[in-house]
Amino acid sequence: QTVWQFNIPNNMKQSVLYEGQVQYSSRTQPENGKAIRKALGGTFFSGGGTVDFALSAILGSQFAVEYDAKISAVYQQNNETQFMGKDVMDFNPEEWKGKVEYFHASPVCKTYSHAINNAGKEARLEEGIDAKTAKATANALRVIQPSVFTLENVVGYKGSHALKLITDALGELGYTWDI
């Protein structure tokens, strides 16, 4: 799988992940051995909570959104956060405007996965749901405007219309990004 990191515009807060490390701002720099304030974050397509758990040393999860009830149960066992068992298209980003510094999305990869598409099947076409969930992600970015946004998906997602919807939103907001 491929991990993409998107950097923040120059005029936004500085609390960013860089090569797996935290680049501290004056608000998060440790002072005299005091605990470091965790960045406040949220995730879409949260699955079993792997990202939230992996980043728990530096990230205080504020919300997690996953629609699959079985997967949601695993998430809730692994993490302590405000979990929302719902579709990302039903998420209200207004509630989180100005409250989230780190936002991560791991959109469903079935349409783009080589493992699925090369198993004797013809290549899949992007489905309407892919664009709808990408639009929901782009909308959340526009409203929340986190300092850091990361997106994780399979390599096949790279040339997708869904990714373009998200990167267009990032461009409109002044983020720089790289794949």
Side-chain angles (χ1 to χ4, degrees):
Q1 294 195 350
T2 302
V3 177
W4 295 294
Q5 178 173 328
F6 302 94
N7 297 317
I8 61 172
N10 290 335
N11 62 345
M12 295 183 100
K13 296 178 272 185
Q14 294 292 317
S15 180
V16 301
L17 293 176
Y18 180 72
E19 295 181 1
Q21 301 296 317
V22 175
Q23 176 182 335
Y24 296 102
S25 71
S26 58
R27 296 181 316 143
T28 58
Q29 183 67 41
E31 294 179 23
N32 301 326
K34 293 182 181 177
I36 298 167
R37 184 187 67 78
K38 293 181 180 184
L40 302 178
T43 57
F44 265 19
F45 315 96
S46 304
T50 306
V51 169
D52 302 67
F53 185 77
L55 296 176
S56 63
I58 59 170
L59 181 66
S61 263
Q62 296 299 296
F63 68 82
V65 182
E66 172 59 53
Y67 80 99
D68 186 297
K70 288 181 182 177
I71 295 172
S72 298
V74 173
Y75 182 99
Q76 291 174 343
Q77 289 175 349
N78 292 336
N79 298 280
E80 295 178 11
T81 190
Q82 182 168 342
F83 184 81
M84 297 173 212
K86 63 166 90 177
D87 196 299
V88 296
M89 294 180 289
D90 298 326
F91 176 79
N92 180 5
E94 291 292 337
E95 296 176 36
W96 302 99
K97 186 175 186 174
K99 298 178 184 175
V100 175
E101 298 164 293
Y102 177 87
F103 179 41
H104 176 80
S106 294
V108 176
C109 68
K110 289 179 183 177
T111 302
Y112 313 101
S113 173
H114 293 288
I116 293 171
N117 294 329
N118 289 334
K121 301 177 184 176
E122 292 189 25
R124 291 180 166 196
L125 297 175
E126 258 183 300
E127 299 175 12
I129 193 70
D130 298 316
K132 288 177 183 176
T133 58
K135 286 177 184 175
T137 303
N139 183 53
L141 281 166
R142 287 184 181 102
V143 173
I144 297 170
Q145 296 187 18
S147 298
V148 176
F149 171 69
T150 55
L151 176 77
E152 174 274 332
N153 213 301
V154 295
V155 173
Y157 195 73
K158 185 175 181 179
S160 71
H161 174 67
L163 179 60
K164 183 170 180 355
L165 292 169
I166 295 168
T167 57
D168 283 353
L170 291 168
E172 291 167 20
L173 293 168
Y175 288 80
T176 57
W177 52 273
D178 191 19
I179 296 177

